[in-house]
Amino acid sequence: NGIIHRDLKPHNIMLLRDGTLKIMDFGIARLSTANQKTVTDKAIGSVHYISPEQVRGKNSDGRSDIYSIGIMMYEMLAGTMPFKGETAVEIAMKHLKNPMPSVRKENPNVPQALENIILKATAKNPKNRYDSAKEMFKDLKECLKEDAPEEKKVVYKFSEEDLEELEDNALVV
């Protein structure tokens, strides 16, 4: 619907009795056509689900929400968060700098195609992520088919390294 939530996390998703998922708490959401930064004097979003561009204080778009969905998928399949730390800053820096761990290492029952979706959703470089939730949903439907072919691990088209130097005061969690 053209809304960027900017704080997707399990606490903001409600499962209805009929199985429908509803996103809640649009307190920091904005329209995708609005031109505003995601950070003023502090990073916006829950640190466990925050995208690298939000950590850097850069403009976010729908791909930031896709990153958060990828983190939630990892958590559901692995039973643990991909990035842990003693402080919010430590966790945020891991989102910014550390490669995404393999969900298959935590849960060998996850097919490579599903791990690829998580890896594409959680790419550090937004150019390597899905452009839309519809695109991600299409891949999910394909990978869950019984006759889905086995895939090789995803390879990113764009660099995931040295995207941008962290600016002074950009990370305030």
Side-chain angles (χ1 to χ4, degrees), residues 71-164:
I71 297 295
M72 286 187 281
M73 288 175 64
Y74 180 98
E75 181 183 16
M76 287 188 290
L77 292 167
T80 186
M81 298 300 304
F83 303 117
K84 299 175 193 158
E86 296 294 319
T87 66
V89 171
E90 184 181 350
I91 296 166
M93 290 305 294
K94 287 180 179 181
H95 279 283
L96 192 62
K97 301 287 184 183
N98 290 19
M100 187 68 175
S102 170
V103 71
R104 296 183 76 194
K105 195 174 225 178
E106 294 290 330
N107 181 350
N109 295 321
V110 173
Q112 185 62 57
L114 188 51
E115 180 176 68
N116 286 348
I117 291 169
I118 293 169
L119 291 172
K120 187 170 180 180
T122 59
K124 304 292 183 209
N125 186 338
K127 291 178 184 179
N128 288 326
R129 285 188 217 140
Y130 289 100
D131 287 325
S132 69
K134 286 181 184 178
E135 184 184 341
M136 185 177 176
F137 183 64
K138 180 181 168 236
D139 276 2
L140 276 168
K141 286 194 308 188
E142 288 299 315
C143 92
L144 295 175
K145 288 182 178 177
E146 284 190 34
D147 62 344
E150 187 60 32
E151 292 186 19
K152 294 183 179 181
K153 191 168 185 173
V154 70
V155 176
Y156 297 124
K157 182 177 179 181
F158 299 99
S159 172
E160 290 283 289
E161 302 295 321
D162 300 322
L163 295 176
E164 203 170 311

Coordinates of all heavy atoms in Angstrom, one line a residue, residues 71-164:
I71 N 14.9 -11.0 8.8 CA 15.5 -11.3 10.1 C 14.4 -12.1 10.9 O 14.8 -13.1 11.6 CB 15.8 -10.0 10.9 CG1 16.9 -9.2 10.2 CG2 16.2 -10.3 12.3 CD1 18.3 -10.0 10.2
M72 N 13.1 -11.8 10.8 CA 12.1 -12.5 11.5 C 12.0 -14.0 10.9 O 11.8 -14.9 11.7 CB 10.7 -11.8 11.4 CG 10.6 -10.6 12.2 SD 8.9 -9.9 12.2 CE 8.9 -9.0 10.7
M73 N 12.2 -14.1 9.6 CA 12.2 -15.5 9.1 C 13.3 -16.3 9.6 O 13.1 -17.5 10.0 CB 12.2 -15.4 7.5 CG 11.0 -14.9 6.9 SD 11.2 -14.7 5.1 CE 11.5 -16.4 4.6
Y74 N 14.5 -15.7 9.7 CA 15.7 -16.4 10.3 C 15.3 -16.8 11.7 O 15.6 -18.0 12.1 CB 16.9 -15.5 10.3 CG 18.1 -16.1 10.8 CD1 19.1 -16.7 10.0 CD2 18.3 -16.2 12.2 CE1 20.2 -17.3 10.5 CE2 19.4 -16.9 12.7 CZ 20.3 -17.4 11.9 OH 21.4 -18.1 12.4
E75 N 14.8 -15.9 12.5 CA 14.5 -16.2 13.9 C 13.5 -17.3 14.0 O 13.6 -18.2 14.9 CB 13.9 -14.9 14.5 CG 13.6 -15.1 16.0 CD 13.0 -13.8 16.6 OE1 12.6 -12.9 15.9 OE2 13.0 -13.8 17.9
M76 N 12.5 -17.3 13.2 CA 11.4 -18.4 13.2 C 12.0 -19.8 12.8 O 11.7 -20.8 13.5 CB 10.3 -18.1 12.3 CG 9.4 -17.0 12.8 SD 7.9 -16.7 11.8 CE 8.6 -16.1 10.3
L77 N 12.9 -19.8 11.9 CA 13.5 -21.1 11.4 C 14.6 -21.6 12.2 O 14.8 -22.8 12.4 CB 13.9 -20.9 9.9 CG 12.7 -20.8 9.0 CD1 13.2 -20.3 7.6 CD2 11.9 -22.0 8.9
A78 N 15.4 -20.6 12.8 CA 16.6 -21.0 13.6 C 16.3 -21.1 15.1 O 17.0 -21.8 15.8 CB 17.7 -20.0 13.3
G79 N 15.2 -20.4 15.5 CA 14.9 -20.4 16.9 C 15.8 -19.5 17.7 O 15.9 -19.5 19.0
T80 N 16.6 -18.6 17.0 CA 17.5 -17.7 17.7 C 17.7 -16.5 16.8 O 17.4 -16.6 15.6 CB 18.8 -18.3 18.0 OG1 19.6 -17.4 18.7 CG2 19.6 -18.8 16.7
M81 N 18.1 -15.4 17.3 CA 18.4 -14.2 16.5 C 19.7 -14.4 15.8 O 20.7 -15.0 16.3 CB 18.5 -13.0 17.4 CG 17.2 -12.6 18.2 SD 15.8 -12.3 17.1 CE 16.4 -11.0 16.1
P82 N 19.8 -13.8 14.6 CA 21.1 -13.9 13.8 C 22.2 -13.1 14.5 O 23.4 -13.5 14.4 CB 20.8 -13.4 12.4 CG 19.6 -12.6 12.6 CD 18.8 -13.1 13.8
F83 N 21.9 -12.0 15.1 CA 22.9 -11.1 15.7 C 22.5 -10.8 17.1 O 21.4 -10.4 17.4 CB 23.0 -9.8 14.9 CG 23.3 -9.9 13.5 CD1 22.4 -9.5 12.5 CD2 24.5 -10.5 13.0 CE1 22.7 -9.7 11.1 CE2 24.8 -10.7 11.7 CZ 23.9 -10.3 10.7
K84 N 23.5 -11.1 18.0 CA 23.3 -10.9 19.4 C 24.4 -10.1 20.0 O 25.5 -10.0 19.4 CB 23.3 -12.3 20.2 CG 22.2 -13.2 19.7 CD 22.4 -14.6 20.4 CE 21.5 -15.6 19.7 NZ 21.9 -16.9 19.9
G85 N 24.2 -9.4 21.1 CA 25.2 -8.6 21.7 C 24.8 -8.1 23.1 O 23.7 -8.3 23.5
E86 N 25.8 -7.6 23.8 CA 25.5 -7.1 25.1 C 24.8 -5.7 25.1 O 24.1 -5.4 26.1 CB 26.9 -6.9 25.9 CG 27.6 -8.2 26.1 CD 26.9 -9.1 27.0 OE1 26.3 -8.7 28.0 OE2 26.8 -10.4 26.8
T87 N 25.0 -4.9 24.0 CA 24.3 -3.6 24.0 C 23.6 -3.5 22.6 O 23.9 -4.2 21.7 CB 25.4 -2.5 24.1 OG1 26.2 -2.5 23.0 CG2 26.2 -2.6 25.4
A88 N 22.7 -2.5 22.6 CA 22.0 -2.2 21.4 C 23.0 -1.8 20.3 O 22.8 -2.1 19.1 CB 21.0 -1.1 21.6
V89 N 24.0 -1.0 20.6 CA 25.0 -0.5 19.7 C 25.7 -1.7 19.1 O 26.0 -1.8 17.9 CB 26.0 0.5 20.3 CG1 27.1 0.8 19.4 CG2 25.2 1.8 20.7
E90 N 26.1 -2.7 19.9 CA 26.8 -3.9 19.4 C 26.0 -4.7 18.4 O 26.5 -5.1 17.4 CB 27.2 -4.8 20.6 CG 28.1 -6.0 20.3 CD 28.4 -6.8 21.5 OE1 28.2 -6.4 22.6 OE2 28.9 -8.0 21.2
I91 N 24.7 -4.8 18.7 CA 23.8 -5.5 17.8 C 23.7 -4.8 16.5 O 23.7 -5.3 15.4 CB 22.5 -5.8 18.5 CG1 22.6 -6.7 19.7 CG2 21.5 -6.4 17.5 CD1 21.4 -6.8 20.6
A92 N 23.5 -3.5 16.6 CA 23.3 -2.6 15.4 C 24.5 -2.7 14.5 O 24.4 -2.8 13.3 CB 23.0 -1.2 15.8
M93 N 25.7 -2.7 15.1 CA 26.9 -2.8 14.4 C 27.1 -4.1 13.6 O 27.6 -4.2 12.5 CB 28.2 -2.5 15.2 CG 28.3 -1.1 15.7 SD 28.3 0.1 14.4 CE 29.8 -0.3 13.6
K94 N 26.6 -5.2 14.3 CA 26.6 -6.5 13.6 C 25.7 -6.5 12.4 O 26.0 -7.1 11.4 CB 26.2 -7.6 14.6 CG 27.3 -7.9 15.6 CD 26.9 -8.9 16.6 CE 28.1 -9.2 17.5 NZ 27.8 -10.2 18.5
H95 N 24.5 -5.8 12.5 CA 23.6 -5.7 11.3 C 24.4 -4.9 10.2 O 24.2 -5.2 9.0 CB 22.3 -4.9 11.7 CG 21.3 -5.8 12.3 ND1 20.5 -6.6 11.6 CD2 20.9 -5.8 13.6 CE1 19.7 -7.2 12.5 NE2 19.9 -6.8 13.7
L96 N 25.2 -4.0 10.6 CA 25.9 -3.2 9.6 C 27.1 -3.9 9.0 O 27.3 -3.8 7.8 CB 26.4 -1.9 10.3 CG 26.9 -0.8 9.5 CD1 25.8 -0.3 8.5 CD2 27.4 0.4 10.4
K97 N 27.8 -4.7 9.8 CA 29.1 -5.2 9.4 C 29.2 -6.7 9.2 O 30.0 -7.2 8.4 CB 30.2 -4.8 10.4 CG 30.4 -3.3 10.5 CD 31.0 -2.6 9.3 CE 31.3 -1.2 9.5 NZ 31.8 -0.5 8.4
N98 N 28.5 -7.5 10.0 CA 28.7 -8.9 10.0 C 27.9 -9.6 8.9 O 26.7 -9.2 8.7 CB 28.3 -9.5 11.4 CG 29.2 -9.2 12.5 OD1 30.0 -8.2 12.4 ND2 29.2 -9.9 13.5
P99 N 28.4 -10.6 8.3 CA 27.6 -11.4 7.3 C 26.5 -12.1 8.0 O 26.6 -12.5 9.2 CB 28.6 -12.3 6.7 CG 29.9 -12.3 7.5 CD 29.8 -11.1 8.4
M100 N 25.4 -12.3 7.3 CA 24.3 -13.0 7.8 C 24.7 -14.5 8.0 O 25.2 -15.1 7.1 CB 23.1 -12.9 6.8 CG 21.8 -13.5 7.3 SD 21.2 -12.4 8.6 CE 19.6 -13.3 8.9
P101 N 24.5 -15.0 9.2 CA 24.8 -16.4 9.5 C 23.8 -17.3 8.7 O 22.7 -16.9 8.3 CB 24.6 -16.6 11.0 CG 23.8 -15.4 11.4 CD 24.0 -14.3 10.4
S102 N 24.3 -18.5 8.5 CA 23.5 -19.5 7.8 C 22.4 -20.1 8.6 O 22.6 -20.6 9.7 CB 24.4 -20.6 7.3 OG 23.6 -21.7 6.8
V103 N 21.1 -19.9 8.2 CA 20.0 -20.5 8.9 C 20.1 -22.0 8.8 O 19.6 -22.7 9.7 CB 18.6 -20.0 8.4 CG1 18.3 -20.5 7.1 CG2 17.5 -20.3 9.4
R104 N 20.7 -22.5 7.8 CA 20.8 -24.0 7.6 C 21.8 -24.6 8.6 O 21.7 -25.8 8.9 CB 21.2 -24.3 6.2 CG 20.2 -23.9 5.1 CD 20.6 -24.3 3.8 NE 20.4 -25.7 3.6 CZ 20.8 -26.5 2.7 NH1 21.6 -25.9 1.7 NH2 20.6 -27.8 2.6
K105 N 22.7 -23.8 9.1 CA 23.6 -24.3 10.1 C 22.9 -24.5 11.4 O 23.1 -25.4 12.2 CB 24.7 -23.3 10.3 CG 25.9 -23.8 11.1 CD 27.0 -22.8 11.1 CE 28.3 -23.4 10.8 NZ 29.5 -22.6 10.7
E106 N 21.9 -23.6 11.7 CA 21.1 -23.8 12.9 C 20.0 -24.8 12.7 O 19.6 -25.5 13.7 CB 20.4 -22.4 13.3 CG 21.4 -21.3 13.7 CD 22.0 -21.6 15.0 OE1 21.4 -22.2 15.9 OE2 23.2 -21.1 15.2
N107 N 19.5 -24.9 11.5 CA 18.3 -25.8 11.2 C 18.6 -26.5 9.9 O 18.2 -25.9 8.8 CB 17.0 -25.1 11.2 CG 15.8 -25.9 11.0 OD1 16.0 -27.1 10.6 ND2 14.6 -25.4 11.1
P108 N 19.2 -27.7 9.8 CA 19.6 -28.3 8.6 C 18.4 -28.7 7.7 O 18.5 -29.0 6.6 CB 20.3 -29.6 9.0 CG 20.7 -29.3 10.4 CD 19.7 -28.4 11.0
N109 N 17.2 -28.7 8.3 CA 16.0 -29.0 7.5 C 15.5 -27.9 6.6 O 14.6 -28.1 5.8 CB 14.8 -29.4 8.5 CG 15.1 -30.6 9.3 OD1 15.7 -31.6 8.7 ND2 14.7 -30.6 10.5
V110 N 16.1 -26.7 6.7 CA 15.7 -25.6 5.8 C 16.4 -25.8 4.5 O 17.6 -26.0 4.3 CB 16.2 -24.3 6.4 CG1 16.0 -23.1 5.5 CG2 15.6 -24.0 7.8
P111 N 15.6 -25.8 3.4 CA 16.1 -26.0 2.1 C 16.9 -24.8 1.6 O 16.7 -23.7 2.1 CB 14.9 -26.2 1.2 CG 13.7 -25.7 2.0 CD 14.1 -25.7 3.4
Q112 N 17.9 -25.0 0.8 CA 18.7 -23.9 0.3 C 17.9 -22.8 -0.3 O 18.2 -21.6 -0.2 CB 19.8 -24.4 -0.7 CG 20.8 -23.4 -1.1 CD 21.6 -22.8 0.0 OE1 22.3 -23.6 0.7 NE2 21.5 -21.5 0.3
A113 N 16.9 -23.1 -1.0 CA 16.0 -22.1 -1.7 C 15.4 -21.1 -0.6 O 15.4 -19.9 -0.9 CB 14.9 -22.8 -2.5
L114 N 15.0 -21.7 0.5 CA 14.5 -20.8 1.6 C 15.6 -20.0 2.2 O 15.4 -18.8 2.5 CB 13.7 -21.7 2.6 CG 12.9 -20.9 3.7 CD1 12.0 -19.9 3.0 CD2 12.1 -21.9 4.5
E115 N 16.8 -20.6 2.4 CA 17.9 -19.8 3.0 C 18.2 -18.7 2.0 O 18.5 -17.6 2.4 CB 19.1 -20.6 3.2 CG 20.2 -19.8 3.8 CD 21.5 -20.6 4.2 OE1 22.1 -21.1 3.3 OE2 21.8 -20.6 5.4
N116 N 18.2 -18.9 0.7 CA 18.5 -17.9 -0.3 C 17.5 -16.7 -0.2 O 17.9 -15.6 -0.4 CB 18.4 -18.5 -1.7 CG 19.6 -19.4 -2.0 OD1 20.6 -19.4 -1.3 ND2 19.5 -20.1 -3.1
I117 N 16.3 -17.0 0.1 CA 15.3 -15.9 0.2 C 15.7 -15.1 1.5 O 15.6 -13.8 1.4 CB 13.9 -16.5 0.4 CG1 13.4 -17.1 -1.0 CG2 12.9 -15.4 0.8 CD1 12.2 -17.9 -1.0
I118 N 16.0 -15.7 2.5 CA 16.5 -15.0 3.7 C 17.7 -14.2 3.4 O 17.8 -13.0 3.8 CB 16.7 -15.9 4.9 CG1 15.3 -16.6 5.3 CG2 17.3 -15.2 6.1 CD1 15.5 -17.7 6.3
L119 N 18.7 -14.8 2.8 CA 19.9 -14.1 2.4 C 19.7 -12.9 1.5 O 20.3 -11.8 1.7 CB 20.9 -15.0 1.8 CG 21.5 -16.1 2.8 CD1 22.3 -17.1 2.0 CD2 22.3 -15.5 3.9
K120 N 18.8 -13.1 0.6 CA 18.5 -12.0 -0.3 C 17.7 -10.9 0.4 O 18.0 -9.7 0.2 CB 17.6 -12.5 -1.5 CG 17.4 -11.4 -2.6 CD 16.8 -12.0 -3.9 CE 16.6 -10.9 -4.9 NZ 16.0 -11.4 -6.1
A121 N 16.8 -11.2 1.3 CA 16.0 -10.2 2.1 C 16.9 -9.5 3.0 O 16.7 -8.3 3.3 CB 14.9 -10.9 2.8
T122 N 18.0 -10.1 3.5 CA 18.8 -9.5 4.6 C 20.2 -9.0 4.0 O 21.1 -8.8 4.8 CB 19.0 -10.4 5.7 OG1 19.7 -11.6 5.2 CG2 17.7 -10.8 6.4
A123 N 20.3 -8.9 2.7 CA 21.6 -8.4 2.2 C 21.9 -7.0 2.8 O 21.0 -6.2 3.0 CB 21.4 -8.2 0.7
K124 N 23.1 -6.7 3.1 CA 23.6 -5.5 3.6 C 23.3 -4.3 2.6 O 22.9 -3.3 3.0 CB 25.1 -5.5 4.0 CG 25.5 -6.6 4.9 CD 24.9 -6.3 6.3 CE 25.5 -7.5 7.2 NZ 24.5 -7.8 8.3
N125 N 23.6 -4.6 1.3 CA 23.4 -3.6 0.3 C 21.9 -3.7 -0.2 O 21.5 -4.8 -0.7 CB 24.3 -3.9 -0.9 CG 24.3 -2.9 -2.0 OD1 23.3 -2.1 -2.1 ND2 25.4 -2.8 -2.7
P126 N 21.1 -2.7 0.0 CA 19.7 -2.8 -0.4 C 19.5 -3.1 -1.9 O 18.5 -3.7 -2.3 CB 19.2 -1.3 -0.2 CG 20.1 -0.8 0.8 CD 21.5 -1.4 0.6
K127 N 20.5 -2.9 -2.8 CA 20.5 -3.2 -4.2 C 20.4 -4.7 -4.4 O 19.9 -5.2 -5.4 CB 21.7 -2.7 -4.9 CG 21.7 -1.2 -5.1 CD 22.9 -0.7 -5.8 CE 23.0 0.8 -5.9 NZ 24.3 1.2 -6.6
N128 N 20.9 -5.5 -3.4 CA 20.9 -6.9 -3.5 C 19.6 -7.5 -2.9 O 19.4 -8.8 -3.0 CB 22.1 -7.5 -2.7 CG 23.4 -7.3 -3.5 OD1 23.4 -7.3 -4.7 ND2 24.4 -7.1 -2.7
R129 N 18.7 -6.7 -2.3 CA 17.5 -7.2 -1.7 C 16.4 -7.3 -2.7 O 16.5 -6.7 -3.8 CB 17.1 -6.3 -0.6 CG 17.9 -6.5 0.7 CD 17.3 -5.7 1.8 NE 18.4 -5.1 2.6 CZ 18.5 -4.0 3.1 NH1 17.5 -3.1 3.0 NH2 19.6 -3.6 3.8
Y130 N 15.3 -7.9 -2.3 CA 14.1 -7.8 -3.1 C 13.6 -6.4 -3.3 O 13.7 -5.6 -2.4 CB 12.9 -8.6 -2.5 CG 13.2 -10.1 -2.5 CD1 13.7 -10.8 -1.4 CD2 12.9 -10.8 -3.6 CE1 13.9 -12.1 -1.4 CE2 13.1 -12.2 -3.7 CZ 13.6 -12.8 -2.5 OH 13.9 -14.2 -2.6
D131 N 13.1 -6.0 -4.5 CA 12.6 -4.7 -4.7 C 11.2 -4.5 -4.1 O 10.8 -3.3 -3.8 CB 12.6 -4.4 -6.2 CG 14.0 -4.1 -6.8 OD1 14.8 -3.6 -6.1 OD2 14.2 -4.5 -7.9
S132 N 10.5 -5.6 -3.9 CA 9.2 -5.5 -3.3 C 8.8 -6.7 -2.5 O 9.4 -7.8 -2.8 CB 8.2 -5.3 -4.4 OG 8.0 -6.4 -5.2
A133 N 7.8 -6.6 -1.7 CA 7.3 -7.8 -1.0 C 6.7 -8.8 -1.9 O 6.7 -10.0 -1.7 CB 6.3 -7.3 0.1
K134 N 6.1 -8.2 -3.0 CA 5.5 -9.1 -4.0 C 6.5 -10.0 -4.6 O 6.3 -11.2 -4.9 CB 4.7 -8.3 -5.1 CG 3.5 -7.7 -4.6 CD 2.8 -6.9 -5.7 CE 1.5 -6.3 -5.2 NZ 0.9 -5.5 -6.2
E135 N 7.7 -9.5 -4.9 CA 8.8 -10.2 -5.5 C 9.2 -11.3 -4.6 O 9.5 -12.5 -4.9 CB 9.9 -9.3 -5.9 CG 11.1 -9.9 -6.6 CD 12.2 -9.0 -6.8 OE1 12.0 -7.7 -6.8 OE2 13.3 -9.4 -7.0
M136 N 9.3 -11.0 -3.3 CA 9.8 -11.9 -2.3 C 8.7 -13.0 -2.1 O 9.0 -14.2 -2.0 CB 10.0 -11.2 -0.9 CG 10.5 -12.1 0.2 SD 10.8 -11.0 1.6 CE 11.3 -12.3 2.8
F137 N 7.4 -12.6 -2.1 CA 6.3 -13.6 -1.9 C 6.3 -14.6 -3.1 O 6.1 -15.8 -2.9 CB 5.0 -12.8 -1.9 CG 3.8 -13.7 -1.6 CD1 3.7 -14.5 -0.5 CD2 2.8 -13.8 -2.6 CE1 2.6 -15.3 -0.3 CE2 1.7 -14.6 -2.4 CZ 1.6 -15.4 -1.2
K138 N 6.6 -14.1 -4.3 CA 6.7 -15.0 -5.5 C 7.7 -16.1 -5.3 O 7.5 -17.3 -5.5 CB 7.0 -14.2 -6.7 CG 7.1 -15.0 -8.0 CD 7.4 -14.1 -9.2 CE 7.7 -14.9 -10.4 NZ 9.0 -14.6 -10.9
D139 N 8.9 -15.7 -4.8 CA 10.0 -16.7 -4.5 C 9.6 -17.6 -3.4 O 9.9 -18.8 -3.5 CB 11.3 -16.0 -4.2 CG 12.1 -15.5 -5.4 OD1 11.6 -15.7 -6.5 OD2 13.2 -15.0 -5.2
L140 N 8.9 -17.1 -2.4 CA 8.5 -18.0 -1.3 C 7.5 -19.1 -1.8 O 7.6 -20.3 -1.5 CB 7.8 -17.2 -0.2 CG 8.7 -16.6 0.8 CD1 8.0 -15.6 1.7 CD2 9.4 -17.6 1.7
K141 N 6.5 -18.7 -2.6 CA 5.6 -19.6 -3.2 C 6.3 -20.7 -4.0 O 6.0 -21.9 -3.9 CB 4.5 -18.9 -4.0 CG 3.5 -18.2 -3.2 CD 2.3 -17.7 -4.0 CE 2.6 -17.0 -5.3 NZ 1.5 -16.4 -6.0
E142 N 7.3 -20.3 -4.8 CA 8.1 -21.2 -5.7 C 8.9 -22.2 -4.8 O 8.9 -23.4 -5.1 CB 8.9 -20.4 -6.6 CG 8.2 -19.7 -7.7 CD 7.4 -20.7 -8.6 OE1 7.9 -21.8 -9.0 OE2 6.2 -20.4 -8.9
C143 N 9.6 -21.7 -3.8 CA 10.5 -22.5 -3.1 C 9.7 -23.5 -2.2 O 10.3 -24.6 -1.8 CB 11.5 -21.7 -2.2 SG 11.0 -21.3 -0.6
L144 N 8.5 -23.3 -1.9 CA 7.7 -24.2 -1.0 C 7.0 -25.3 -1.8 O 6.4 -26.1 -1.2 CB 6.8 -23.4 -0.1 CG 7.5 -22.4 0.9 CD1 6.4 -21.6 1.6 CD2 8.3 -23.2 1.8
K145 N 7.1 -25.2 -3.1 CA 6.4 -26.3 -3.9 C 7.2 -27.6 -3.7 O 8.4 -27.6 -3.6 CB 6.4 -25.9 -5.4 CG 5.5 -24.8 -5.7 CD 5.5 -24.5 -7.2 CE 4.5 -23.4 -7.6 NZ 4.6 -23.0 -9.0
E146 N 6.5 -28.6 -3.7 CA 7.1 -30.0 -3.5 C 8.1 -30.3 -4.6 O 9.1 -31.0 -4.4 CB 6.0 -31.0 -3.4 CG 5.3 -31.0 -2.1 CD 4.4 -32.2 -1.9 OE1 4.8 -33.3 -2.4 OE2 3.4 -32.1 -1.3
D147 N 7.8 -29.8 -5.8 CA 8.7 -30.1 -7.0 C 9.8 -29.0 -7.2 O 10.4 -29.0 -8.3 CB 7.9 -30.4 -8.2 CG 7.1 -29.2 -8.7 OD1 6.9 -28.3 -7.9 OD2 6.7 -29.2 -9.8
A148 N 10.0 -28.2 -6.2 CA 11.0 -27.1 -6.4 C 12.4 -27.7 -6.5 O 12.8 -28.6 -5.8 CB 10.9 -26.1 -5.2
P149 N 13.1 -27.3 -7.5 CA 14.5 -27.8 -7.7 C 15.4 -27.3 -6.6 O 15.2 -26.3 -6.0 CB 14.9 -27.2 -9.1 CG 14.1 -26.0 -9.2 CD 12.8 -26.2 -8.5
E150 N 16.5 -28.1 -6.4 CA 17.5 -27.8 -5.4 C 18.3 -26.6 -6.0 O 18.6 -26.6 -7.2 CB 18.4 -29.0 -5.1 CG 19.4 -28.7 -3.9 CD 18.7 -28.4 -2.6 OE1 17.6 -28.8 -2.3 OE2 19.4 -27.6 -1.9
E151 N 18.6 -25.7 -5.2 CA 19.3 -24.5 -5.6 C 20.7 -24.4 -5.0 O 21.0 -25.0 -3.9 CB 18.6 -23.2 -5.2 CG 17.3 -23.0 -6.0 CD 16.6 -21.7 -5.7 OE1 17.3 -20.7 -5.2 OE2 15.4 -21.5 -5.9
K152 N 21.6 -23.6 -5.6 CA 22.9 -23.3 -5.1 C 22.7 -22.0 -4.2 O 21.7 -21.3 -4.4 CB 23.9 -23.0 -6.2 CG 24.2 -24.2 -7.0 CD 25.3 -23.9 -8.0 CE 25.6 -25.2 -8.8 NZ 26.6 -25.1 -9.7
K153 N 23.6 -21.8 -3.3 CA 23.6 -20.6 -2.4 C 23.6 -19.4 -3.3 O 24.3 -19.2 -4.2 CB 24.7 -20.7 -1.4 CG 24.6 -19.6 -0.3 CD 25.6 -19.9 0.8 CE 25.3 -18.9 1.9 NZ 26.2 -19.2 3.0
V154 N 22.8 -18.4 -2.9 CA 22.7 -17.1 -3.6 C 24.0 -16.4 -3.7 O 24.8 -16.5 -2.7 CB 21.6 -16.2 -3.0 CG1 22.0 -15.7 -1.6 CG2 21.2 -15.1 -3.9
V155 N 24.3 -15.7 -4.8 CA 25.4 -14.9 -4.9 C 24.9 -13.5 -5.2 O 24.1 -13.3 -6.1 CB 26.3 -15.4 -6.1 CG1 27.5 -14.5 -6.4 CG2 26.8 -16.8 -5.9
Y156 N 25.4 -12.5 -4.5 CA 25.0 -11.1 -4.7 C 25.6 -10.5 -5.9 O 26.7 -10.7 -6.2 CB 25.4 -10.3 -3.4 CG 24.7 -10.7 -2.2 CD1 25.5 -11.1 -1.0 CD2 23.3 -10.8 -2.1 CE1 24.9 -11.4 0.1 CE2 22.7 -11.2 -0.9 CZ 23.5 -11.5 0.2 OH 22.9 -11.9 1.4
K157 N 24.8 -9.7 -6.6 CA 25.2 -9.0 -7.8 C 26.1 -7.8 -7.4 O 27.1 -7.5 -8.1 CB 24.0 -8.5 -8.6 CG 24.3 -7.8 -9.8 CD 23.0 -7.5 -10.6 CE 23.3 -6.8 -11.9 NZ 22.1 -6.4 -12.6
F158 N 25.7 -7.1 -6.3 CA 26.5 -5.9 -5.9 C 27.3 -6.2 -4.7 O 26.9 -7.0 -3.9 CB 25.5 -4.7 -5.6 CG 24.6 -4.4 -6.8 CD1 23.4 -4.9 -7.0 CD2 25.2 -3.5 -7.8 CE1 22.6 -4.5 -8.1 CE2 24.4 -3.2 -8.9 CZ 23.1 -3.7 -9.1
S159 N 28.3 -5.4 -4.5 CA 29.2 -5.6 -3.3 C 28.5 -5.4 -2.0 O 27.6 -4.5 -1.8 CB 30.3 -4.5 -3.4 OG 31.1 -4.6 -2.2
E160 N 28.8 -6.2 -1.1 CA 28.3 -6.2 0.3 C 29.3 -5.5 1.2 O 29.0 -5.3 2.4 CB 27.9 -7.6 0.8 CG 26.7 -8.2 0.2 CD 25.4 -7.6 0.7 OE1 25.0 -7.9 1.8 OE2 24.8 -6.9 -0.1
E161 N 30.5 -5.2 0.7 CA 31.6 -4.7 1.5 C 31.7 -3.2 1.4 O 31.4 -2.6 0.3 CB 32.9 -5.3 1.1 CG 32.9 -6.8 1.2 CD 32.8 -7.3 2.6 OE1 33.4 -6.7 3.5 OE2 32.1 -8.3 2.8
D162 N 32.1 -2.5 2.4 CA 32.4 -1.1 2.4 C 31.3 -0.3 1.7 O 31.6 0.5 0.8 CB 33.8 -0.8 1.8 CG 34.9 -1.5 2.5 OD1 34.8 -1.6 3.8 OD2 35.8 -2.1 1.9
L163 N 30.1 -0.4 2.0 CA 29.0 0.3 1.4 C 29.2 1.8 1.6 O 28.9 2.6 0.7 CB 27.6 -0.2 1.9 CG 27.3 -1.6 1.6 CD1 26.0 -2.0 2.3 CD2 27.2 -1.8 0.1
E164 N 29.6 2.2 2.8 CA 29.7 3.6 3.1 C 30.3 3.7 4.4 O 30.0 2.9 5.3 CB 28.3 4.2 3.1 CG 28.3 5.7 2.9 CD 26.9 6.2 2.7 OE1 26.1 5.6 1.9 OE2 26.5 7.1 3.4

